[in-house]
Amino acid sequence: MNKICVIGLGYIGLPTAALLANQGFEVVGVDINPTIIETINQGNIHICEPELDKLVNNVVIKGKLKASLKPELADIFIIAVPTPLRDNNQPDISFVETAVKTITPYLKQGNLIILESTIPVGTTEKINYFIKEIITEITPIYLAHCPERVLPGNILKELIENDRVVGGIDEDSTKKAALFYEKFVQGKVISTNSKTAEIVKLTENSFRDINIAFANEMSMICDHLDINVWEVIKLANLHPRVNILKPGPGVGGHCIAIDPWFIVNSSPNLAKLIKTAREVNINKTDYVINQIKNAATKINEPVIACLGLSYKANIDDLRESPALKIVQQLALEKIGKIIAVEPHIKCLPNNLNNLENLELLDLELAFCKANLVVLLVGHNDFINLNQELLESKIIIDTQGIW
Ligand SMILES: NC(=O)c1ccc[n+]([C@@H]2O[C@H](COP(=O)([O-])OP(=O)(O)OC[C@H]3O[C@@H](n4cnc5c(N)ncnc54)[C@H](O)[C@@H]3O)[C@@H](O)[C@H]2O)c1
């Protein structure tokens, strides 16, 4: 089990590939994006994750990690490609199917395939049939799901320290996959079957989504009743068995905003709470948009500085970001001049690029120009602001920081 091929070099695949290369494995990272391949082979990275730049540079220079557009023969194939939603919140596993199809010409007897992408229940079994249809003559091929549960911003540490759940399509697959993770994971490696491993990951993210939805619902109720929700949560959390999470402008990212739909989709008549939580969190984003629009009507020529575009604090990931949706909607509806401040990106993403009343500025300039300031993301850069800066502005703080 010395050579590993990691398919998909994004937020999960690249740190995984680099970490394994650093553990002494020979790693080939595969992606369909030539710019990513070129960047990594130059020893650089295309995503923002603490310490990852140094690690990638180090393992590329040592020749332990190389990136390629094509897979190679290997002992283990790890698949970490996107699993987004299609229309009507249906899971789209086509990236996983395509990735599996690409590796089939390189499979040999005894290979282990690990699906690390978050997948709907039953996908590992489906992929097993899919592989067997394409290659009938090569056996055994081991196949397992091992969901990833790292926290962006702390990925390299959590890849090693977190407990892992491993579920194979049969006992041998589970054993092989567990043995592999035990080589570099310091947390517990727990064996189960593939369907259980699949739903464990979806359950974790649905749990988070439901708890955030509760906080968001309380924030809207408190707003309606003219009560400070942050004080309410602080006081309620003094109860020894209460731990209410933080409200915000909605829920984003490639996990919590998406994965609960996989459960809803698999059990539509039963997953009522999970579906409602999703709807509450989506609705919270619209609620914030309306709060900003109401505040803007009280200003002659509104210039609205929106602080933060990413889906959570101190990262550059804009996927499913409620902050991004809010900024886009304000600009599209032409609710004044909109200034976006996002210290983690250099230019606006494509979907915001052509909006004429929107510009990306640094914090200082944004404060000079704006009369309405909306804190959307709790980046460190926004927390310790000089309070004098806030004095002459109308403030909407979705993070309870100011
Ligand atoms: N980002 C997270 O925090 C996180 C956490 C846990 C689980 N996950 C899951 O991990 C999976 C990957 O997420 P991510 O955040 O790394 O996505 P990402 O979009 O950052 O990276 C995916 C990469 O896969 C590449 N790709 C797509 N199809 C490919 C193919 N056929 N062959 C090779 N490369 C291909 C893309 O170009 C991209 O670079 C998803 O299922 C996600 O739900 C993500």
Side-chain angles (χ1 to χ4, degrees), residues 315-332:
I315 59 166
D316 68 339
D317 194 343
L318 305 183
R319 289 176 296 174
E320 314 294 324
S321 167
L324 189 134
K325 187 181 166 197
I326 290 166
V327 168
Q328 185 178 33
Q329 193 64 28
L330 295 174
L332 281 172

Side-chain angles (χ1 to χ4, degrees), residues 144-282:
H145 175 50
C146 181
E148 191 49 75
R149 40 162 69 136
V150 287
L151 179 76
N154 200 25
I155 294 184
L156 291 175
K157 192 161 175 273
E158 294 206 357
L159 274 175
I160 291 187
E161 291 181 2
N162 287 356
D163 295 341
R164 299 298 291 260
V165 176
V166 179
I169 37 127
D170 50 34
E171 276 191 21
D172 287 344
S173 296
T174 308
K175 265 188 209 155
K176 264 223 155 200
L179 266 178
F180 166 62
Y181 283 99
E182 277 161 6
K183 283 182 194 285
F184 65 95
V185 168
Q186 288 167 7
K188 292 189 204 95
V189 177
I190 298 143
S191 296
T192 180
N193 57 50
S194 61
K195 279 171 87 172
T196 306
E198 288 162 347
I199 203 161
V200 164
K201 170 72 188 174
L202 305 180
T203 304
E204 289 163 6
N205 283 344
S206 301
F207 175 87
R208 300 274 304 152
D209 201 39
I210 288 169
N211 282 279
I212 299 168
F214 178 71
N216 276 334
E217 188 159 291
M218 284 314 301
S219 75
M220 293 184 278
I221 292 168
C222 286
D223 192 30
H224 170 66
L225 299 176
D226 201 17
I227 299 170
N228 181 335
V229 70
W230 305 100
E231 189 185 358
V232 171
I233 292 175
K234 195 169 116 196
L235 297 183
N237 280 348
L238 294 176
H239 184 293
R241 285 165 296 283
V242 171
N243 184 15
I244 303 169
L245 301 183
K246 274 175 55 185
V251 171
H254 189 30
C255 293
I256 301 181
I258 290 179
D259 304 348
W261 288 119
F262 293 6
I263 297 187
V264 174
N265 185 259
S266 69
S267 315
N269 296 326
L270 298 170
K272 293 190 175 120
L273 181 61
I274 297 173
K275 182 165 185 248
T276 303
R278 267 296 60 237
E279 287 164 352
V280 168
N281 284 331
I282 291 168

Side-chain angles (χ1 to χ4, degrees), residues 378-398:
H379 290 317
N380 287 344
D381 305 62
F382 305 151
I383 293 179
N384 301 317
L385 274 185
N386 179 353
Q387 290 297 311
E388 278 174 17
L389 280 175
L390 304 176
E391 268 164 18
S392 58
K393 319 285 181 196
I394 296 180
I395 303 291
I396 297 178
D397 175 3
T398 69

